[in-house]
Amino acid sequence: MPNPTDSPPLAGRRAQAARNDTVILEAARAVFLADPKAPVAAVAERAGVGISALYRRYASKEDLLRKLCDDGLRRFIAAAEEVADEPDGWVAFTGFLERVVDADVHSLTVHLAGTFTPTEELGRAAIRANELVDGLVRRARAAGRLRSDVVPQDVGLLLEGCAAIRVPDPERTRQLRRRHLALLLAGLVQREPPLPGPPPGEGEFDWRWQRRE
């Protein structure tokens, strides 16, 4: 018969591995947002793990960068899905934006675009994210609150603008981003005159994800 004491150590090792992975990803996010060109060794040092432990989980820096962006996309998609049942289209739209700003998803886009080769899986997740944003924009417009000349691509630029706000204190950063978001939302409410210039087009910013040497 199996020894009843065999399972806890295995569970303990798995739990420790999961904790290590969380620590590594948090460290990688902090390191690469500060300097996308930083070496993997800087991530290991910040995480307090050996470089071999890091490489057991991520075979290369690209794998680590892809994992960070995959997590960011999943948070983005989850934020959109969380407001799907909200009956008021404008409330759903603003609630989604608040969730994404608080999750700081777009800092990854601003800092890591073009630093790795996206996978097909990431591409599919990006398509799903774009579809969800398109639906939220349509609903907010149908509710009579969102100005008619706003396009889904405007949402990405709005979120990047909020992500650009950063001070040493994380809580103050969150407060300032929420304040800036409120100002931007005030400008999205349906009114005249129309926005200047043509709106950003579909795929206009995809060039950022082309691999740069």
Side-chain angles (χ1 to χ4, degrees):
M1 295 181 61
N3 188 330
T5 62
D6 289 342
S7 294
L10 182 60
R13 286 195 295 271
R14 287 175 177 170
Q16 183 60 47
R19 286 193 292 271
N20 285 347
D21 198 48
T22 298
V23 170
I24 288 171
L25 290 176
E26 289 176 351
R29 180 183 175 88
V31 167
F32 293 138
L33 286 184
D35 180 11
K37 295 182 179 180
V40 172
V43 176
E45 181 179 359
R46 185 181 182 94
V49 301
I51 192 71
S52 59
L54 191 151
Y55 276 124
R56 279 198 296 271
R57 290 167 176 78
Y58 303 99
S60 67
K61 179 178 177 180
E62 280 219 1
D63 286 343
L64 190 49
L65 292 172
R66 276 192 285 265
K67 175 60 175 175
L68 286 175
C69 283
D70 179 67
D71 284 355
L73 267 174
R74 290 178 185 276
R75 291 185 184 187
F76 185 94
I77 290 170
E81 292 175 339
E82 285 169 4
V83 299
D85 294 333
E86 169 55 53
D88 186 313
W90 176 253
V91 174
F93 180 68
T94 57
F96 159 73
L97 292 176
E98 289 169 355
R99 285 170 169 80
V100 174
V101 168
D102 285 348
D104 195 20
V105 168
H106 276 68
S107 287
L108 295 171
T109 299
V110 172
H111 289 81
L112 301 185
T115 62
F116 65 92
T117 302
T119 61
E120 291 184 5
E121 183 179 1
L122 278 173
R124 289 191 293 269
I127 290 172
R128 172 61 175 159
N130 290 334
E131 290 172 346
L132 289 167
V133 171
D134 183 70
L136 287 167
V137 167
R138 291 176 184 273
R139 288 184 59 201
R141 192 180 293 137
R145 297 292 304 278
L146 182 66
R147 54 189 304 156
S148 60
D149 50 358
V150 170
V151 297
Q153 290 74 28
D154 285 314
V155 174
L157 295 180
L158 179 154
L159 291 168
E160 288 185 21
C162 291
I165 300 170
R166 187 181 299 275
V167 296
D169 181 358
E171 176 57 23
R172 183 56 178 153
T173 294
R174 188 195 70 80
Q175 292 173 350
L176 290 171
R177 286 175 175 173
R178 277 296 193 100
R179 177 181 173 84
H180 188 61
L181 176 60
L183 290 170
L184 294 172
L185 286 173
L188 293 181
V189 176
Q190 178 62 43
R191 61 167 65 101
E192 299 295 339
L195 293 171
E202 182 176 354
E204 187 170 352
F205 300 97
D206 289 355
W207 62 269
R208 295 179 301 179
W209 291 98
Q210 296 176 5
R211 179 67 183 271
R212 297 190 295 270
E213 298 299 334

